[in-house]
Amino acid sequence: MSEKTEHAPSGSAPILEIRGLQKAYDRVPVLKDISFSVSKGNVVSVIGPSGSGKSTLLRCASFLETATGGDILYDGQYAVKGGVYAPKKELNRFRRLFGMVFQNFNLFPHYSVLKNICEAPLLRGADKEEIRERAVSLLKKMGLEGKENAYPCQLSGGQQQRVAIARALALEPEILYFDEPTSALDPELTGEVLKVMRQLAEDHMTMVVVTHEMSFAHAVSHRVIFMDGGYITEEGPPEQIFGNPQQERTKKFLSNYQK
C-alpha cells in the first residue's frame, strides 16, 4: 500500500490517552513520563532501540504490567489515575476495548485453530454459532481458509501469527496492540503478516504497533513515536520522523534506514 489511510476526523476524541506514565522494576525506572494519545482509525507506530521501553509501554496500556504512576484513559474515562487503578469490574470493561497480538503468537498448542479463535468470545457469553461464523470469516480474511481444524504445530510462523490476529479481532476490539509481531519470523513470513496489518489499516482499524519494520511504520502510520531510554524523545508524522528527524538520537537510529 503506497498511500496511508485517512486520518481520523479533526478534533475527534482520542480512544486512548496516556499521561505521564511511569513504570519501574525494583525502583529502576523503565518508563519515564510517557504521554501520547491515539485517535480512532489511526495507526501509531512505536520505534526505537531495544530496551527503550516500547514493549513495557504496551504491556502497561493493556494492564499486563502495573504502572507505577500516571494516567491511562480509554474513551475519555480513567482506567488508571495517578497510578491508582479502577476497580476490577471497571478494568474488565476497559479490557473489552482492546486486543493484543504478541511477538511469539501465544496460541494454545492443544487447541485447534478454530478453538483458539472462539475460546475467549465464548467465555464472554457470545452466541456459539455466531462466533464460529465470525471465526471462519476472519480466517478467510487472513488467507487461512480451510485451516479451521489444524493445530498450531501444523502451521508456519506467519500462519500462526495470522491466527493470533484473527483471535484478537474475534473479540471485536476498538484498538489493537501489536508487540513486535514479526520479530520471530523470517523475511518471507514477515511479508505475510505485514500484508494483513496493512489491510487492517486500510479498513481503519485503530492500531498501536511496536515494530522494527521501518518500511511498514513509514508507509502505514499516521504518527510515529521514537522512544529511547524510557522517554518519548520524538513524535510526529512519518514524513517528519523519517524524512527530517529533529533529534540526533533519532537520526542515528534511522541512519541505516532506506525508504
Side-chain angles (χ1 to χ4, degrees), residues 158-193:
Q159 289 173 326
Q160 289 185 62
Q161 191 61 292
R162 283 181 280 156
V163 172
I165 294 172
R167 178 180 60 182
L169 289 170
L171 293 168
E172 301 184 272
E174 291 190 31
I175 183 169
L176 267 185
Y177 294 128
F178 291 85
D179 187 8
E180 299 190 8
T182 62
S183 62
L185 305 175
D186 65 35
E188 184 176 9
L189 300 181
T190 291
E192 296 176 2
V193 174

Side-chain angles (χ1 to χ4, degrees), residues 4 87 103 114 251:
K4 286 175 280 296
Q103 176 179 340
L114 192 65
K251 292 177 183 177

Side-chain angles (χ1 to χ4, degrees), residues 156-230:
S156 70
Q159 289 173 326
Q160 289 185 62
Q161 191 61 292
R162 283 181 280 156
V163 172
I165 294 172
R167 178 180 60 182
L169 289 170
L171 293 168
E172 301 184 272
E174 291 190 31
I175 183 169
L176 267 185
Y177 294 128
F178 291 85
D179 187 8
E180 299 190 8
T182 62
S183 62
L185 305 175
D186 65 35
E188 184 176 9
L189 300 181
T190 291
E192 296 176 2
V193 174
L194 292 180
K195 181 180 178 181
V196 167
M197 294 173 66
R198 285 169 181 261
Q199 183 60 57
L200 290 175
E202 289 179 345
D203 293 340
H204 305 289
M205 184 73 213
T206 311
M207 299 189 283
V208 180
V209 185
V210 169
T211 184
H212 291 295
E213 297 292 333
M214 297 298 108
S215 294
F216 174 87
H218 186 273
V220 178
S221 305
H222 295 90
R223 291 200 350 274
V224 177
I225 289 171
F226 180 79
M227 288 185 65
D228 186 42

Side-chain angles (χ1 to χ4, degrees), residues 97 110 116 133 181 189 200:
L97 298 178
H110 55 295
N116 262 286
E133 289 178 4
L189 300 181
L200 290 175

Side-chain angles (χ1 to χ4, degrees), residues 31-79:
L31 299 178
K32 310 165 187 176
D33 195 23
I34 298 290
S35 298
F36 70 99
S37 63
V38 182
S39 295
K40 189 173 180 63
N42 278 193
V43 178
V44 175
S45 290
V46 185
I47 65 172
S50 297
S52 58
K54 305 184 302 296
S55 293
T56 301
L57 170 59
L58 278 197
R59 292 181 67 83
C60 285
S62 58
F63 313 141
L64 293 173
E65 298 280 359
T66 302
T68 315
D71 306 336
I72 300 174
L73 296 87
Y74 282 97
D75 284 338
Q77 298 183 312
Y78 283 97

Side-chain angles (χ1 to χ4, degrees), residues 58-134:
L58 278 197
R59 292 181 67 83
C60 285
S62 58
F63 313 141
L64 293 173
E65 298 280 359
T66 302
T68 315
D71 306 336
I72 300 174
L73 296 87
Y74 282 97
D75 284 338
Q77 298 183 312
Y78 283 97
V80 182
K81 186 173 184 179
V84 178
Y85 281 69
K88 184 177 180 180
K89 185 177 180 180
E90 286 293 291
L91 284 182
N92 286 338
R93 181 172 62 83
F94 290 124
R95 284 189 177 98
R96 291 175 177 264
L97 298 178
F98 57 78
M100 186 83 169
V101 178
F102 299 92
Q103 176 179 340
N104 293 314
F105 325 135
N106 287 17
L107 299 176
F108 294 111
H110 55 295
Y111 285 178
S112 69
V113 164
L114 192 65
K115 189 171 183 180
N116 262 286
I117 296 170
C118 293
E119 187 72 3
L122 288 173
L123 289 174
R124 289 186 179 181
D127 179 80
K128 185 175 182 179
E129 191 55 38
E130 283 185 9
I131 190 55
R132 188 187 186 283
E133 289 178 4
R134 177 164 172 77

